[in-house]
Amino acid sequence: MRPEEELRFLILAAQREGSRALTAALSPLELTPAQAEVVRCLADYGPMSLRELGAMLVCESGSPSRLVDTMVKRELVTRTEDASDRRSVTLALTAEGKRLDRGVRKVEEALYQQIGGQLGADTIAKALALLRPLVAGSAGGEAIARRKSAEGKR
């Protein structure tokens, strides 16, 4: 097996293991990882348009409209139309969405503690330096960059 091939499969395996663990940990909250990411984006960056949300999501490529529709039906997210332009809508968390955000943060913190405990800060820093160029310019890489940039403005 070529080293590049092993790296590709290790990244895929790590992603699947992480997704499996996150899905199981979010199960008591009745949220999928994609829904949890929407909750966190709206909680962290405030109300935003569907287009803005889509640009910040790593889990969902393209338009997250179906994902948001499900969350609106579950009364986790509100969708408010602009009175002057019905095509423009603002998404925000409901009280229930805000409550779930607290649970999502606890789940994520436990996951990050586990990752940090297994790898350590130095290894994580090296992994970030290795992986950033692999996703640079991609939709996921751009979403991560937007979120990092928005964090600096808070």
Side-chain angles (χ1 to χ4, degrees):
M1 178 179 286
R2 292 174 54 164
E4 297 86 355
E5 182 180 19
E6 183 179 6
L7 176 62
R8 184 183 77 149
F9 283 119
L10 285 170
I11 291 169
L12 179 60
Q15 187 277 329
R16 286 190 175 163
E17 285 302 309
S19 182
R20 183 196 55 73
L22 184 58
T23 297
L26 290 169
S27 178
L29 300 175
E30 298 181 0
L31 289 175
T32 66
Q35 291 169 339
E37 186 180 9
V38 169
V39 166
R40 284 299 311 279
C41 281
L42 291 174
D44 288 349
Y45 308 109
M48 65 183 74
S49 71
L50 184 63
R51 176 175 285 175
E52 291 168 322
L53 177 64
M56 291 196 139
L57 295 178
V58 177
C59 70
E60 189 80 18
S61 60
S63 174
S65 55
R66 275 193 255 158
L67 176 60
V68 169
D69 286 346
T70 299
M71 297 179 77
V72 168
K73 287 177 188 165
R74 288 190 54 201
E75 298 182 355
L76 305 177
V77 172
T78 60
R79 183 184 313 206
T80 306
E81 290 181 2
D82 184 319
S84 62
D85 182 0
R86 296 195 69 212
R87 294 172 299 165
S88 178
V89 297
T90 300
L91 306 172
L93 289 178
T94 64
E96 178 63 8
K98 291 175 184 175
R99 184 190 72 76
L100 286 173
D101 175 57
R102 291 187 292 277
V104 170
R105 287 177 191 274
K106 288 178 184 174
V107 165
E108 287 180 346
E109 183 57 32
L111 179 63
Y112 302 152
Q113 289 291 326
Q114 179 185 357
I115 292 169
Q118 287 178 309
L119 297 180
D122 288 344
T123 302
I124 290 172
K126 288 175 187 172
L128 291 172
L130 290 170
L131 293 173
R132 283 182 184 126
L134 288 177
V135 300
S138 70
E142 294 299 319
I144 293 166
R146 280 188 207 78
R147 285 163 75 165
K148 288 182 73 163
S149 175
E151 279 179 9
K153 296 174 185 174
R154 285 194 283 158

